[in-house]
Amino acid sequence: MADQPTKNTPRYYPLHHFILLPAALIMAFYTGRRYAEVAGNDSDLSRLWFSLMALAVIGAGVLLMLRQHYALTLQDRLIRLEVRQRYFEVTGQSLRPLEDRLSLKQILSLRFAGDAELASLVQATISENLPPKTIQARIQDFHFDPMRV
């Protein structure tokens, strides 16, 4: 048990955190310095360093955004599993046959419903094709999720 990370222990993806991101930041810094040396010159060298600097900065930005995208995608999958499990516990039936008629946004909204109203709200969402805002407005026993990434 001592080897398992605790709730507040940071988790690292070595390729992303220790290779790609530092390399992109070093490249952005280096090309920025090189461009600063030739900035103002209307030369091919100036344009080359500017282009490399822009690509490095964009690459570093993409790497930072991918980190958030991975977390949100994983969280959406976990919420889908949570709603499936809760629906099964409440009704004794699988939600999978009904999921084809629900959008991801509808499922994400249904997670806020209490157990007592989940099954009826799923049926209403399917039959009336309720948008996420309407689903949330119909929830009587609202369970806020403070753990969203």
Side-chain angles (χ1 to χ4, degrees):
M1 277 267 189
D3 292 346
Q4 291 184 344
T6 62
K7 183 178 180 182
N8 295 325
T9 302
R11 291 179 177 84
Y12 298 104
Y13 179 53
L15 177 65
H16 179 89
H17 288 99
F18 301 120
I19 297 172
L20 294 176
L21 191 57
L25 293 174
I26 289 168
M27 183 72 165
F29 177 74
Y30 178 75
T31 55
R33 272 193 50 214
R34 292 302 303 255
Y35 173 67
E37 293 172 6
V38 294
N41 299 343
D42 189 24
S43 66
D44 289 340
L45 186 62
S46 174
R47 285 188 282 278
L48 172 70
W49 283 115
F50 177 79
S51 298
L52 288 175
M53 177 188 66
L55 287 174
V57 168
I58 290 169
V62 167
L63 284 171
L64 289 172
M65 294 305 294
L66 276 177
R67 177 187 62 166
Q68 186 70 10
H69 172 72
Y70 292 151
L72 290 174
T73 301
L74 177 61
Q75 186 160 329
D76 290 344
R77 291 184 72 187
L78 290 172
I79 290 169
R80 183 185 300 266
L81 290 172
E82 174 193 351
V83 172
R84 280 182 191 163
Q85 179 65 32
R86 287 182 53 225
Y87 187 83
F88 179 75
E89 289 174 0
V90 169
T91 66
Q93 299 174 348
S94 176
L95 181 65
R96 286 183 188 248
L98 305 174
E99 277 186 71
D100 292 339
R101 297 188 275 172
L102 294 169
S103 70
L104 177 62
K105 289 183 179 184
Q106 288 172 320
I107 293 172
L108 296 177
S109 294
L110 287 166
R111 81 180 188 275
F112 295 118
D115 290 345
E117 60 188 338
L118 180 63
S120 61
L121 202 49
V122 167
Q123 294 303 325
T125 301
I126 291 171
S127 64
E128 300 172 36
N129 195 23
L130 300 175
K133 293 280 186 193
T134 305
I135 294 169
Q136 291 179 16
R138 286 194 182 184
I139 296 173
Q140 300 297 313
D141 184 20
F142 197 87
H143 293 271
F144 182 71
D145 182 10
M147 297 178 68
R148 186 82 175 147
V149 172

